Amino acid sequence: DAKTTQPNSMESNEEEPVHLPCNHSTISGTDYIHWYRQLPSQGPEYVIHGLTSNVNNRMASLAIAEDRKSSTLILHRATLRDAAVYYCILRANTDKLIFGTGTRLQVFP
Amino acid sequence: DAGVTQSPTHLIKTRGQQVTLRCSPKSGHDTVSWYQQALGQGPQFIFQYYEEEERQRGNFPDRFSGHQFPNYSSELNVNALLLGDSALYLCASSPIGVGATEAFFGQGTRLTVV
């Protein structure tokens, strides 16, 4: 299973943009890049996913490097509710999700 | 739509006992996966069920077994409980797909083994 590398923790102030990086140098051509987040005492929640092109949805944007060896999850304006652990996951055609330890995002008012 | 529901929410068992956890997938989803999340760690994949059969399995001993019913709901059984089995057990459902499908997770069952 291809692995991802993320910083253990990051901090942001409310209403500022947040860029959460992820390295995945061993990604294969068929791996999708998925991001999930987990709020305290809850199950993981889907955020966004992509294959090659940058993606936007109502929650966030996903910027994927041209060589696909890294990606960045962008929260355009952080809120207190965005404080969570963010997981970057490579998902192949087996469908299972291989979680790492993720990035704990703290948001300060 | 109720999403993914799991029961019970909390459970305390004694070492050596057996436990059964239950999961109802999101409406329209036919694939159910189970994950174990120890405190401070990311979820670890246990196994996945599709069409009432175990489709793939993670690195967990045979004490962990499961079942999927015709209505797509699923059970996770753990025999001969160990203290190390204390964790949050998460169920996720998705339509069968090849990497592009979003998985929906339940709130989990917190199992404490004493």
Side-chain angles (χ1 to χ4, degrees):
Chain A
D1 298 316
K3 288 189 174 181
T4 62
T5 304
Q6 300 177 252
N8 288 333
S9 63
M10 292 187 65
E11 297 178 352
S12 175
N13 293 319
E14 211 174 1
E15 298 190 6
E16 289 185 352
V18 180
H19 291 232
L20 299 168
C22 180
N23 289 318
H24 28 78
S25 57
T26 59
I27 191 171
S28 73
T30 55
D31 285 340
Y32 284 80
I33 302 161
H34 283 244
W35 284 81
Y36 283 75
R37 71 180 185 182
Q38 189 171 22
L39 280 65
S41 303
Q42 295 190 23
E45 173 189 32
Y46 168 83
V47 177
I48 199 167
H49 78 273
L51 183 62
T52 57
S53 303
N54 294 344
V55 184
N56 299 297
N57 67 20
R58 64 175 180 81
M59 289 182 69
S61 296
L62 176 60
I64 301 173
E66 196 170 333
D67 63 5
R68 301 211 324 128
K69 293 183 184 298
S70 65
S71 61
T72 303
L73 178 71
I74 302 166
L75 307 178
H76 294 286
R77 292 183 64 198
T79 69
L80 296 178
R81 194 192 170 279
D82 292 324
V85 178
Y86 286 79
Y87 296 99
C88 169
I89 299 165
L90 301 182
R91 194 177 190 195
N93 57 6
T94 57
D95 281 342
K96 64 182 177 182
L97 296 168
I98 306 298
F99 290 81
T101 52
T103 296
R104 182 172 299 277
L105 175 66
Q106 289 183 284
V107 181
F108 299 104
Chain B
D1 183 3
V4 178
T5 58
Q6 292 186 242
S7 63
T9 54
H10 295 82
L11 202 53
I12 299 175
K13 287 287 189 178
T14 303
R15 190 171 47 183
Q17 285 188 316
Q18 178 263 344
V19 68
T20 297
L21 310 181
R22 294 176 176 81
C23 172
S24 292
K26 181 178 171 62
S27 177
H29 288 184
D30 53 12
T31 301
V32 173
S33 301
W34 286 92
Y35 294 81
Q36 179 195 65
Q37 185 173 26
L39 204 59
Q41 303 295 317
Q44 300 298 306
F45 175 76
I46 303 175
F47 43 53
Q48 181 183 84
Y49 277 83
Y50 170 66
E51 291 189 341
E52 302 181 50
E53 291 191 359
E54 185 180 290
R55 186 163 168 254
Q56 52 184 317
R57 187 180 184 92
N59 188 26
F60 279 79
D62 292 344
R63 299 186 297 108
F64 290 77
S65 64
H67 188 78
Q68 185 178 35
F69 299 93
N71 66 353
Y72 307 127
S73 67
S74 177
E75 288 182 349
L76 164 66
N77 301 293
V78 187
N79 294 322
L81 284 167
L82 304 173
L83 296 180
D85 294 332
S86 295
L88 180 68
Y89 288 85
L90 295 159
C91 171
S93 75
S94 59
I96 195 70
V98 286
T101 53
E102 170 186 351
F104 289 79
F105 283 82
Q107 299 280 62
T109 294
R110 172 73 61 188
L111 172 65
T112 302
V113 182
V114 297

